Amino acid sequence: MEDLRRIRTPRLEIAYTEHGPPDGPPVVLLHGFPYAPAAYAEVVPPLVAAGRRCIVPYLRGYGPTRFLAAETPRSGQQAALGQDLLELLDALAIPRATVAGYDWGGRAACILAALWPERVSGLVSCTGYNIQDIAASARPAAPEQERRLWYQYYFHSERGRAGLEADRRGIARLLWRLWSPEWHFDETTFAASAAAFDNPDFVRVVIQSYRHRFGYAAGDPALEEVEVALSRQPRITVPTIAPHGGADGVGPAEASAGHHRYFTGPYERRVLPGIGHNVPQEAPEAFARAVLDLPI
């Protein structure tokens, strides 16, 4: 799938691959943590066969994507992910696109759809509404869910930061296993994504992300206006399909059962039995079908 291109936005040089007819309806496919664009290797072909123009970027802190300025905060906060996606569309001169993602990528897609709906023809967001409610982050979840979030609490500490720096692949491999318990990936599959974690800003972006969402790290001042807008938990008006893995080991399927309240446009939730957190890689046909079922 790799035919790497690069484009500059105000903050980043974003590395991405592009597939399909350049005049086809655009689809942006967004990966999460700790994953990479390789997750979409089997999603892209059916979309291209249907005439879609597929753009698959590396998020900030991953792969060959780079910050343009040393002074730009290495932030992984949600506002940064949404702003990056908006600026990518601007740089590519794409007025409107289908945006699809999971984990961090699903969050970026939800933010674009919520704050700039005129830029979104349709949304695929795994696990439903992915915009963080940071004001409520101190409210404890059920003990079983708190256990699943151990890695986030680990990253809040200096020991966790050092652990990620020392063995980013080891942590990622463990999370893959825990979050997708019925997916038996091999080392070649893992390595295809793990190379993206060698980005020099990966650790800083990841640690800031997991600290910011709990109020333990300041955000980028340049993104404060976006964060304020997200604090209102804005509703999403664009047509949305929300796949959710029935075997998701970090965000159980029941967690999105009530998410319809965040969507005022057409909304469909699809639970995928036996599928974990990495939906596009575990169930590429179902993910591609969700994209193709949305209006262009």
Side-chain angles (χ1 to χ4, degrees):
M1 192 174 90
E2 199 80 350
D3 178 19
L4 204 61
R5 305 183 184 193
R6 290 176 172 82
I7 195 162
R8 290 196 167 200
T9 69
R11 295 171 176 83
L12 302 171
E13 182 176 79
I14 297 177
Y16 68 101
T17 61
E18 184 168 335
H19 317 266
D23 58 349
V27 179
V28 184
L29 301 169
L30 299 145
H31 70 86
F33 166 84
Y35 303 101
Y40 290 103
E42 294 182 47
V43 173
V44 165
L47 297 183
V48 169
R52 303 302 176 91
R53 176 192 178 191
C54 296
I55 295 150
V56 194
Y58 286 86
L59 299 186
R60 56 168 55 201
Y62 292 79
T65 290
R66 294 290 185 271
F67 287 87
L68 297 179
E71 61 270 17
T72 301
R74 270 41 177 179
S75 171
Q77 68 191 97
Q78 59 177 351
L81 304 177
Q83 188 71 33
D84 288 348
L85 177 54
L86 176 66
E87 291 174 357
L88 174 64
L89 292 183
D90 288 346
L92 292 170
I94 295 175
R96 204 158 174 259
T98 298
V99 289
Y102 67 112
D103 199 86
W104 288 22
R107 184 162 300 117
C110 280
I111 290 168
L112 187 76
L115 299 187
W116 299 283
E118 70 280 1
R119 306 298 297 270
V120 178
S121 56
L123 167 68
V124 175
S125 175
C126 294
T127 70
Y129 188 81
N130 273 301
I131 298 174
Q132 295 158 350
D133 186 358
I134 295 174
S137 64
R139 187 184 305 144
E144 187 66 17
Q145 183 58 23
E146 296 283 15
R147 178 186 66 83
R148 297 184 183 103
L149 300 181
W150 67 269
Y151 68 101
Q152 300 194 16
Y153 308 142
Y154 180 55
F155 291 157
H156 295 169
S157 70
E158 175 55 24
R159 181 184 177 99
R161 187 210 60 77
L164 185 62
E165 188 71 69
D167 192 7
R168 55 192 79 183
R169 279 172 168 74
I171 290 174
R173 188 183 289 105
L174 173 60
L175 294 178
W176 279 36
R177 292 202 309 265
L178 294 174
W179 296 355
S180 300
E182 298 184 31
W183 180 41
H184 303 294
F185 59 91
D186 58 24
E187 189 58 28
T188 300
T189 299
F190 176 74
S193 288
F197 313 151
D198 293 334
N199 184 296
D201 294 309
F202 175 78
V203 172
R204 283 189 289 173
V205 169
V206 169
I207 295 300
Q208 197 278 347
S209 173
Y210 287 103
R211 292 180 181 179
H212 180 271
R213 67 184 66 190
F214 283 86
Y216 298 145
D220 182 343
L223 298 170
E224 184 58 26
E225 185 176 335
V226 178
E227 284 292 351
V228 169
L230 297 176
S231 73
R232 303 185 184 107
Q233 296 285 274
R235 274 29 182 182
I236 292 174
T237 60
V238 307
T240 300
I241 295 175
H244 202 145
D248 190 321
V250 66
E254 58 266 25
S256 66
H259 282 200
H260 58 275
R261 69 185 183 276
Y262 296 108
F263 297 87
T264 60
Y267 174 75
E268 181 183 353
R269 177 174 172 265
R270 298 178 179 178
V271 177
L272 307 175
I275 301 303
H277 194 60
N278 187 0
V279 174
Q281 205 155 9
E282 297 177 64
E285 291 182 6
F287 193 96
R289 175 44 52 197
V291 172
L292 294 173
D293 284 347
L294 289 167
I296 298 173

